[in-house]
Each structure stands twice: as structure tokens, then as C-alpha cells.
Amino acid sequence: VQLQAFGGGLVQAGGSLTLSCAGSGRFGMGWFRQAPGKEREFVASISWPGRKTDYATSVKGRFTISRDNVKSTLYLQMNSLEPEDTAVYYCAASNLQTVGSTEAHYDYWGQGTLVTVSS
């Protein structure tokens, strides 16, 4: 399984950005992020085929995770971005069709894409 995340960039606070991850397949999928000097943390997850989603408290109401199963692509729509959202964002896939925030439940990881939010 090869995952490739893209869509990161520089955005002003209050702005929006959409990340994509190609290669999602018939897996439970998730987004994680790692800010400079901090541990990697859970952002959002979505089940296969997409009925169940879960979000970290810090992004709930601002971020939306979704998937296009025809295109095998995972998305993360990020609105009302804050400087604290600055991080490298990773997509991950799990052999579990319903998966949540536990990193150990994810079997495959993509390379990260950097999101920088300026104040």
C-alpha cells in the first residue's frame, strides 16, 4: 500500500486548505499531524466505506474528513485555520475498517505534507 499526501502550503490564519491522500483503498483511514518539537497527534479518521468519522477536539467543527472510494482518495478539508495548526500532516491506512485515534492501529503511512499557517 502506497499513500501519497499532497496539498499542503502556506495560508493565512482564518483561511482554508484541502489536503488529499492518494491510495486510500478499502481501509480505515486517518490523518495525523506533527508540529515542530511536538509528538505526532491524531487529527481525524474515517471508516470504510465512510459512514463513521472521528475528530480530535482541537479540530472538531473546523476540519472535515472525507473519502472518494472510486478515486481511492482521502481528503481533509481544513477551515478557519489557526497558527497552532501548523504541522506536517500525514495520512495513514489501517487494515481495520473502523479505526480511531490510536496510532498503533494504523498499518501504512504516507509521507507528510507541510501546512504552515501564518498569523
Side-chain angles (χ1 to χ4, degrees):
V1 176
Q2 289 191 333
L3 303 172
Q4 183 172 358
F6 50 94
L10 175 64
V11 63
Q12 288 189 330
S16 298
L17 205 59
T18 300
L19 305 183
S20 302
C21 175
S24 55
R26 298 172 68 93
F27 300 101
M29 299 293 299
W31 287 99
F32 289 77
R33 67 185 182 186
Q34 187 167 20
K38 295 187 177 182
E39 293 187 352
R40 189 161 59 188
E41 64 176 3
F42 169 76
V43 176
S45 65
I46 187 167
S47 66
W48 167 266
R51 295 186 182 90
K52 184 179 184 302
T53 58
D54 191 18
Y55 296 91
T57 302
S58 60
V59 307
K60 197 171 293 186
R62 300 188 298 123
F63 291 10
T64 301
I65 189 171
S66 62
R67 65 191 303 162
D68 184 328
N69 296 330
V70 174
K71 296 180 179 179
S72 294
T73 301
L74 175 73
Y75 301 98
L76 185 68
Q77 172 69 43
M78 305 185 292
N79 298 325
S80 302
L81 283 161
E82 304 167 351
E84 293 73 23
D85 295 317
T86 294
V88 176
Y89 283 72
Y90 299 89
C91 60
S94 172
N95 289 315
L96 300 172
Q97 293 190 342
T98 299
V99 67
S101 61
T102 304
E103 278 197 44
H105 291 169
Y106 290 85
D107 302 287
Y108 312 100
W109 292 82
Q111 92 292 354
T113 185
L114 176 62
V115 173
T116 304
V117 184
S118 64
S119 57

